[in-house]
Amino acid sequence: MTTRPANYGKPWTRQESILAFELYCRIPFQQTKASNTEVQALAQHLNRSPASVARKLGNFGAFDPELKRRKISGLTHTSKLDREVWDEFHNDWPGLVAWAGEMRGSV
């Protein structure tokens, strides 16, 4: 029997979403898969499944104008929180890095 992560099925928090977005900004979109070791590490840190983290990264891809220019679409089941995090940080890399650094210890 496989045990599910403690956060299985729970809505993502703002802090978790910011950490996921920071990872989204660090790795190429083609590598946002559950098999990626960085995705797996974040999943373990957040007590979520790697597939859940990969889906969250795909959600951010839905907002990415660079992907749109390349005719690549992200996932379509984004949340209001996904949009809020994107809008707040997609043009503020220093702010994102600072927030993510602070939150790694508190999530």
Side-chain angles (χ1 to χ4, degrees):
M1 182 167 96
T2 305
T3 58
R4 293 181 174 172
N7 285 335
Y8 182 84
K10 291 184 181 177
W12 281 69
T13 66
R14 175 177 160 74
Q15 291 83 4
E16 290 172 327
S17 295
I18 292 170
L19 289 174
F21 186 58
E22 190 268 343
L23 178 59
Y24 176 86
C25 292
R26 283 192 293 114
I27 64 176
F29 187 72
Q30 300 86 335
Q31 294 178 16
T32 58
K33 310 286 186 234
S35 59
N36 180 304
T37 57
E38 291 186 79
V39 171
Q40 292 172 354
L42 181 59
Q44 184 175 4
H45 181 73
L46 299 178
N47 207 7
R48 292 195 174 268
S49 71
S52 177
V53 172
R55 283 189 301 273
K56 179 59 72 176
L57 299 178
N59 288 354
F60 289 124
F63 308 124
D64 195 326
E66 179 57 31
L67 292 182
K68 283 185 176 81
R69 279 192 286 280
R70 295 171 31 210
K71 307 280 191 243
I72 300 171
S73 64
L75 298 179
T76 58
H77 292 88
T78 63
S79 69
K80 180 181 172 189
L81 179 59
D82 296 339
R83 173 52 90 175
E84 289 171 1
V85 169
W86 175 272
D87 287 346
E88 183 173 353
F89 290 109
H90 82 276
N91 284 324
D92 184 14
W93 179 248
L96 175 62
V97 170
W99 270 93
E102 288 177 24
M103 282 188 250
R104 270 192 196 89
S106 65
V107 175

